[in-house]
Amino acid sequence: MTTQRGSVLERVRGLVREVAKFGAVGGLGVLVNLGVFNLIRHTTDLQVVRASVIATVVAIATNYLGFRYFAYRDRAQSGRTREMALFAGFSAIGLVIENGVLYTATYGFGWDGPLASNVFKFIGIGTATVFRFWSYRTWVFKALPPVTAPAAAEAAAEQPAPLPRPERRTEPLPEPEPANN
């Protein structure tokens, strides 16, 4: 029973570490997202949702680097094109969720002041983050299967045996016989 409890405890610890790393990268992404959003809102005449979409795209690019090289660096790295396509697709869905909240607040309820825009932008980010966490860990940055002792032994058995090294001669080669012509 202790083995099963230990296994569950290890999985919980692993999930906590993953959530912490995801949160660190995501926290930086939130700062980038809100910073770019407010910079655009205060320096241009772009509409609120357009400014938000631009900010979200910048944060998505920043987050990909953080997820691939920090949060999920121990995950499978084969199929980078597939990984990036899935990341872009799920990020686009997250973008729609995030900016859908802001759109509804701004154009549905007329809450478009600077404070309201930031509050609903933040709520949208939070809502989309739940979706992104699930989709990235499930589909984009897949966990490598755990290596068990039998699997490791089986993998070693499948490796071809190394070729034998040729022996070194320590005695001199016989001298060639002279040719009789």
Side-chain angles (χ1 to χ4, degrees):
M1 190 92 170
T2 31
T3 329
Q4 187 178 16
R5 187 179 311 163
S7 174
V8 170
L9 190 58
E10 268 308 305
R11 284 188 290 175
V12 169
R13 284 182 182 150
L15 183 60
V16 168
R17 280 191 300 272
E18 181 180 349
V19 168
K21 287 180 179 181
F22 187 92
V25 173
L28 177 63
V30 168
L31 292 176
V32 168
N33 198 332
L34 291 173
V36 171
F37 173 67
N38 283 296
L39 180 69
I40 292 171
R41 289 280 290 150
H42 291 49
T43 60
T44 71
D45 292 332
L46 278 179
Q47 295 174 345
V48 67
V49 176
R50 287 184 183 168
S52 179
V53 167
I54 292 168
T56 303
V57 169
V58 172
I60 287 170
T62 303
N63 284 353
Y64 177 77
L65 296 173
F67 289 136
R68 168 42 52 215
Y69 298 106
F70 174 68
Y72 295 114
R73 70 176 176 249
D74 60 332
R75 301 291 176 98
Q77 295 204 18
S78 60
R80 191 60 60 98
T81 303
R82 177 187 169 279
E83 175 184 287
M84 290 177 82
L86 286 171
F87 184 84
F90 287 120
S91 293
I93 294 169
L95 181 143
V96 170
I97 293 168
E98 176 182 327
N99 292 290
V101 170
L102 183 61
Y103 181 90
T104 302
T106 304
Y107 300 110
F109 296 104
W111 298 326
D112 61 352
L115 179 62
S117 292
N118 278 288
V119 166
F120 287 102
K121 173 87 171 141
F122 190 76
I123 291 171
I125 290 170
T127 306
T129 296
V130 173
F131 168 76
R132 288 179 177 131
F133 178 73
W134 170 80
S135 62
Y136 294 167
R137 77 182 307 262
T138 304
W139 300 101
V140 181
F141 303 107
K142 289 181 158 186
L144 295 170
V147 177
T148 59
E154 186 177 303
E158 290 177 7
Q159 296 282 335
L163 295 173
R165 294 176 62 179
E167 291 183 30
R168 277 192 161 172
R169 292 187 143 227
T170 55
E171 55 194 60
L173 292 173
E175 297 207 14
E177 294 184 24
N180 293 344
N181 286 5

